[in-house]
Amino acid sequence: MSDAGDALSIAIATKNQRKSLRALPRLVRGSVGLAWKADRRALLLSSTLELLSGISVAAQVYFVTKVVAALLASQRGEPVTAAIAPIVALAALVTYGGVSDAVVRQQQRVLATLTERLTRTKILDVAGAVDLRYYETSDFYDRLRRVQASALTRPYFLIVGLIGFVGGLAGSVSLVIAVVVIQPLLLPLIVLSGVPLWLTGRRASSREFDYAVDQTPVQRLRDYLDETLTGRAEAKELRAFGAVAALRQRYDRVYDEFVAILRKHVAAKQRLSVLGSLGSGLLLIGTFVVLIWLVDRHHVSISQVAGAVVGIRLLSTQINTLFAGAQQIFESSLFLDDLDDFLAMQPGVGRRAATVTAPYGFDTLDVESVSFTYPGSDRQVLTDVSMTLRRGQVVALVGENGSGKTTLAKLLAGLYEPDRGTIRWDGADVARYSPESLRESIAVIFQDFVKYQLTARENVGLGKPSNIDDVEAIAKAADQAGASDLITRLPEGYETMLGKQFRGGQDLSLGQWQRIALARAFYRDAPFVILDEPSASLDPRAEADLFAKVRGLLAGRTVLLISHRFSSVRNADHIYVLHAGQVLESGSHADLMAASGLYAELFTLQAAAYVDG
């Protein structure tokens, strides 16, 4: 990296440090609150035991002094039994330390799991609530991957650091008192021995955060290649094209890059750790040199020397614990600040504030001069699109690939807001309605529908999650979609797991999966239904049967039908033809054929494929 690059990295790191330090009180309060909500018993027990452990170390110094004094006195003829009580007390304190550590470790294991669960839940809530635009940008996936990989456990680590800091502080204070009683001159050197660790620790924490940010795209690519090489859906194509070796080589190159950067990162942190430990060790050596000088000058007794040696060693450990806790708090704060920025995306970022409940359905839906561009792209997908849908109509949307049909369907489904223009329900701009209430009136099945690796009941029931257990209504929707027979033939009927991802799962053909997806749309029973290529995977007989039923099944509802098969759309009430993101022509099948435009051309080309000669 160039000097300019180094300077920029240092400047960014310094800015992040200052930001996190300012936010530290808020982050600590939030983490403590999270841990309290997760398991207050484990939090209180761990904190109390650590606090008592810290205090107990000073008592150990006191009893060591008493034991040595009693043993020295026994050499002068006094009873050695005087050493029994302090030895027992010292052993009890050491035993308490071991028991306390064991209990704290197990309590913190439970606390870690429950705190992680709450943090994961918050992340999932944001991922499920943010505007769909975010899923069109790699930056969002980087942020999501980073908080899942690096920030997920940080609230717990901050708590552990805080508990360690409190325990180290209690132990340091109690030992300071003990050392001051023995010889005050030793105190400044012992305290200073922790400073190098603190300084190098802060720099190491900043490096850790910067490393996590820089490596996120590489880790995501590595994980993607891993999933592709082991995925069931990809397995057949990789083998058919002999692509396994090529992807393995790509995977190895990415992993080599990851490891190379990791080695540099670890080497840098090692250098910082060594510098901190050497600085601390030199100051500790200086402390013992001063102690020897004090013995030589007869300022301390032999028993006090024993207590001082133990006290110095324990105090050095406690100060290290204190600064290690402070470092862990600081490092966690960097990641938690990043996590807070992610969580702040909820709710409805990118959407204007909307709290009004949408009416259930509409008589007229008007699209007025709507334009749309996907985030990160310069190409406008839709340009000044206008159209009208009325209640009870079947409206078809046709056009060549890339003409913007599915994008327009997403806007009408309330999944995106247009960049320009307006979508109105009975004259009211839908942007004033809350997205959740708007979507209550909409059922949509996209051409890339989801194959949920769940039970058949859940696959259909997710169309109306509030009634996911209504088996009778689910069976009715499945029957309407022509999926009832295939579900009842499954080993456990509607409770059969679909897909091969989990034990006992039954795989379906693509056409059967599409029937399940259609059943999901029918089960929602919404007044506005969007069907994006609903028959793409159906055989001709099933397709004909579906479209023969559509008007009867969806009578009184507004249906937007997107299809490449012109035989499916010719009976629609109105047809809109999209070309390069614009409405090129519209009308009934007869009108469009008479106009001899793009629709007539495409219809004739498709029909010609079925005509002999």
Side-chain angles (χ1 to χ4, degrees):
M1 185 181 290
S2 65
D3 292 340
D6 287 335
L8 179 61
S9 297
I10 292 170
I12 293 173
T14 303
K15 182 180 178 181
N16 287 334
Q17 288 181 34
R18 289 172 180 169
K19 180 185 176 186
S20 296
L21 284 173
R22 287 195 301 270
L24 189 55
R26 171 177 55 82
L27 297 173
V28 169
R29 286 195 303 271
S31 296
V32 171
L34 192 69
W36 182 265
K37 182 179 179 182
D39 192 337
R40 66 186 64 180
R41 178 180 174 276
L43 177 63
L44 288 173
L45 184 57
S46 299
S47 303
T48 302
L49 290 176
E50 284 286 348
L51 184 63
L52 293 175
S53 293
I55 296 172
S56 71
V57 292
Q60 292 181 40
V61 174
Y62 171 77
F63 286 116
V64 165
T65 305
K66 290 295 183 183
V67 169
V68 173
L71 293 175
L72 291 173
S74 69
Q75 293 180 351
R76 297 193 298 270
E78 295 183 21
V80 75
T81 53
I84 294 176
I87 285 175
V88 171
L90 187 60
L93 288 171
V94 173
T95 302
Y96 166 77
V99 171
S100 175
D101 287 345
V103 173
V104 167
R105 278 198 302 272
Q106 297 308 315
Q107 289 297 313
Q108 288 185 345
R109 181 180 180 184
V110 174
L111 186 63
T113 300
L114 295 176
T115 304
E116 180 180 330
R117 177 186 177 181
L118 288 176
T119 309
R120 190 184 295 275
T121 299
K122 288 186 174 184
I123 293 171
L124 291 176
D125 287 344
V126 172
V130 295
D131 195 294
L132 196 61
R133 284 174 179 264
Y134 282 96
Y135 282 89
E136 304 292 344
T137 64
S138 62
D139 179 64
F140 174 77
Y141 288 104
D142 284 345
R143 295 178 69 180
L144 179 60
R145 171 65 170 78
R146 191 164 62 246
V147 296
Q148 287 178 324
S150 303
L152 193 60
T153 56
R154 290 296 170 169
Y156 164 72
F157 284 141
L158 191 146
I159 292 297
V160 170
L162 189 61
I163 291 173
F165 180 84
V166 171
L169 182 62
S172 297
V173 170
S174 60
L175 283 167
V176 161
I177 295 171
V179 171
V180 166
V181 169
I182 295 171
Q183 179 48 251
L185 289 176
L186 299 173
L187 183 60
L189 288 170
I190 300 173
V191 173
L192 285 173
S193 67
V195 172
L197 294 174
W198 162 245
L199 294 175
T200 55
R202 276 193 60 180
R203 182 62 186 141
S205 296
S206 298
R207 280 184 172 274
E208 187 64 34
F209 177 72
D210 293 341
Y211 167 78
V213 173
D214 293 340
Q215 280 292 80
T216 300
V218 178
Q219 290 174 325
R220 282 209 304 116
L221 179 56
R222 180 198 64 187
D223 293 346
Y224 168 73
L225 292 170
D226 188 300
E227 292 167 5
T228 301
L229 284 164
T230 58
R232 180 172 180 265
E234 296 85 356
K236 56 182 180 295
E237 182 167 318
L238 291 180
R239 284 155 179 76
F241 284 100
V244 173
L247 277 186
R248 262 301 311 278
Q249 290 172 4
R250 180 82 165 96
Y251 176 81
D252 288 340
R253 288 198 302 272
V254 172
Y255 224 130
D256 287 343
E257 179 186 351
F258 172 77
V259 171
I261 297 173
L262 176 64
R263 289 185 187 279
K264 292 180 181 178
H265 172 64
V266 168
K269 288 194 72 174
Q270 282 178 344
R271 286 194 296 270
L272 288 169
S273 297
V274 169
L275 285 173
S277 297
L278 285 175
S280 180
L282 289 172
L283 287 168
L284 199 58
I285 291 171
T287 304
F288 282 113
V289 169
V290 171
L291 179 61
I292 293 170
W293 179 78
L294 290 171
V295 172
D296 184 59
R297 297 290 178 173
H298 304 291
H299 291 305
V300 292
S301 66
I302 296 300
S303 61
Q304 287 178 318
V305 169
V309 170
V310 173
I312 291 169
R313 183 67 190 93
L314 290 175
L315 181 54
S316 176
T317 301
Q318 290 299 313
I319 288 175
N320 288 347
T321 300
L322 180 69
F323 285 128
Q327 178 191 344
Q328 194 163 6
I329 293 171
F330 174 72
E331 181 175 311
S332 296
S333 72
L334 293 171
F335 287 94
L336 287 175
D337 208 27
D338 189 44
L339 175 62
D340 268 10
D341 287 343
F342 180 84
L343 297 181
M345 296 168 68
Q346 186 186 25
V349 171
R351 175 179 287 272
R352 296 186 291 273
T355 57
V356 179
T357 300
Y360 191 66
F362 51 80
D363 287 324
T364 303
L365 186 158
D366 291 304
V367 179
E368 301 174 354
S369 302
V370 161
S371 298
F372 182 80
T373 302
Y374 282 105
S377 172
D378 296 328
R379 187 178 71 86
Q380 203 167 58
V381 181
L382 298 174
T383 305
D384 293 326
V385 171
S386 296
M387 61 188 298
T388 298
L389 294 84
R390 293 184 173 84
R391 182 161 59 92
Q393 281 189 332
V394 176
V395 176
L397 201 58
V398 301
E400 296 168 290
N401 289 336
S403 59
K405 301 186 299 298
T406 296
T407 299
L408 181 56
K410 290 176 181 177
L411 266 68
L412 296 179
L415 299 175
Y416 290 115
E417 277 193 326
D419 298 330
R420 292 195 311 273
T422 310
I423 299 172
R424 299 183 184 277
W425 284 16
D426 295 329
D429 187 348
V430 297
R432 67 193 294 262
Y433 300 132
S434 68
E436 295 76 16
S437 66
L438 190 73
R439 293 170 195 155
E440 286 291 324
S441 299
I442 304 170
V444 56
I445 289 295
F446 293 107
Q447 55 186 315
D448 53 347
F449 56 85
V450 179
K451 304 172 187 176
Y452 295 103
Q453 306 291 295
L454 300 170
T455 65
R457 172 183 57 80
E458 289 169 314
N459 261 276
V460 178
L462 281 170
K464 190 186 293 184
S466 58
N467 291 352
I468 199 169
D469 295 320
D470 190 343
V471 178
E472 185 176 340
I474 288 172
K476 181 180 177 181
D479 184 58
Q480 292 172 338
S484 179
D485 288 345
L486 76 91
I487 293 176
T488 54
R489 289 198 300 268
L490 294 172
E492 296 179 53
Y494 282 86
E495 294 306 317
T496 303
M497 290 290 290
L498 300 186
K500 286 291 188 179
Q501 194 160 331
F502 299 104
R503 182 179 297 175
Q506 300 291 310
D507 205 4
L508 305 178
S509 70
L510 190 58
Q512 290 173 324
W513 273 114
Q514 188 152 41
R515 287 179 182 273
I516 297 291
L518 285 166
R520 188 156 60 242
F522 291 152
Y523 184 55
R524 191 163 183 80
D525 196 24
F528 182 28
V529 181
I530 300 173
L531 301 175
D532 186 358
E533 298 289 353
S535 61
S537 302
L538 299 180
D539 58 62
R541 188 186 301 277
E543 180 187 19
D545 181 58
L546 172 67
F547 286 108
K549 289 181 176 179
V550 162
R551 284 195 180 272
L553 291 173
L554 302 176
R557 295 174 173 80
T558 305
V559 179
L560 178 66
L561 174 62
I562 302 173
S563 181
H564 284 96
R565 300 186 184 182
F566 287 81
S567 60
S568 304
V569 304
R570 64 182 299 168
N571 293 321
D573 297 302
H574 203 85
I575 302 170
Y576 287 89
V577 182
L578 283 184
H579 178 71
Q582 295 179 300
V583 175
L584 192 64
E585 50 190 356
S586 68
S588 67
H589 171 74
D591 294 336
L592 293 170
M593 291 300 293
S596 299
L598 179 62
Y599 178 88
E601 178 188 351
L602 296 175
F603 184 91
T604 303
L605 283 171
Q606 196 170 98
Y610 296 96
V611 178
D612 186 17

